[in-house]
Amino acid sequence: MATTSDVAQVQPADTRNGESYVSHRDQINFTMTGDFMTGVDFWIHATGETTNGQLIVIETDWKRGTEPAWHIHHREEEGFFVMDGEIRIHTERGSYSAKKGQFVWGRKNERHTYEVVGDQARILVVFVPGPDVDRFEPNGGIDKYFYSARDRELRTPEQLQAEAENLRVNYGVEIFPELTHPRDVKA
């Protein structure tokens, strides 16, 4: 029995056009140095292009304090598989804890955020188009935002506002940085 894969061994790229591939984790890593998630490590394993608009898969390594602001995805739904550590997902309806080996599913159009419980958590984040959308728009998937925003440094209120508008208009994500993050709420 053969042990080698017949699947092309290439990292996700726009030129794959939905063909089969295997991602190479060591070749697709970057750390966010700007936007609303400074300090988060990303490995984009599947893009909208490589899956014909059906799925985006991103591995992330979050440290406490680098979690996203409250936000709403208006185009996609989002799942979180905890590979290591623990997270707490917060929604307007309640909060859910997930430890290593557990999965949390989030619906589109629901304001949410999450926090790392402890110091660090590694999460596999899966995005799929919402039930009223056939596939991700060309050049408009959230994977495109993360990659394009990786080196942005937002220092002024005007820069933050412009980035929030970019997210809303181009990626269907509404953010609420003015809302207190649950990790900062005093018990």
Side-chain angles (χ1 to χ4, degrees):
M1 176 177 280
T3 58
T4 59
S5 173
D6 293 333
V7 178
Q9 302 289 305
V10 299
Q11 72 182 49
D14 291 347
T15 59
R16 295 305 296 161
N17 294 325
E19 297 173 27
S20 297
Y21 67 91
V22 173
S23 70
H24 292 278
R25 187 175 185 276
D26 59 336
Q27 297 175 356
I28 55 175
N29 173 253
F30 59 89
T31 301
M32 287 293 233
T33 59
D35 107 328
F36 300 97
M37 299 176 291
T38 298
V40 178
D41 290 323
F42 279 75
W43 293 265
I44 298 180
H45 292 288
T47 65
E49 284 79 18
T50 60
T51 65
N52 284 329
Q54 298 300 306
L55 173 72
I56 296 168
V57 179
I58 302 173
E59 180 182 345
T60 59
D61 188 8
W62 296 83
K63 290 147 192 79
R64 186 160 178 82
T66 62
E67 305 97 326
W70 283 95
H71 61 283
I72 298 172
H73 297 270
H74 292 291
R75 296 182 186 167
E76 62 264 341
E77 300 197 331
E78 183 177 25
F80 305 90
F81 177 76
V82 181
M83 299 167 63
D84 197 28
E86 181 179 354
I87 61 173
R88 188 157 177 83
I89 305 290
H90 300 278
T91 71
E92 294 175 287
R93 296 178 188 199
S95 298
Y96 311 89
S97 292
K99 296 179 180 180
K100 182 177 180 178
Q102 293 183 308
F103 182 79
V104 178
W105 186 249
R107 302 305 303 229
K108 75 180 234 177
N109 296 322
E110 183 174 58
R111 188 168 60 196
H112 66 284
T113 189
Y114 60 91
E115 66 179 305
V116 172
V117 176
D119 295 327
Q120 187 171 343
R122 182 172 297 277
I123 306 162
L124 193 64
V125 185
V126 178
F127 296 95
V128 298
D132 56 342
V133 179
D134 289 338
R135 59 188 66 240
F136 289 111
E137 297 176 18
N139 298 316
I142 196 70
D143 55 330
K144 299 292 188 195
Y145 171 74
F146 292 134
Y147 191 75
S148 69
R150 70 191 181 282
D151 295 322
R152 289 193 192 123
E153 291 191 33
L154 307 176
R155 298 178 188 263
T156 68
E158 294 80 17
Q159 289 172 322
L160 289 167
Q161 182 60 38
E163 193 67 359
E165 184 68 6
N166 172 42
L167 273 164
R168 187 185 67 74
V169 171
N170 295 311
Y171 301 97
V173 176
E174 190 175 358
I175 63 167
F176 304 90
E178 70 280 3
L179 296 179
T180 303
H181 196 281
R183 74 173 170 270
D184 300 325
V185 174
K186 304 294 185 228

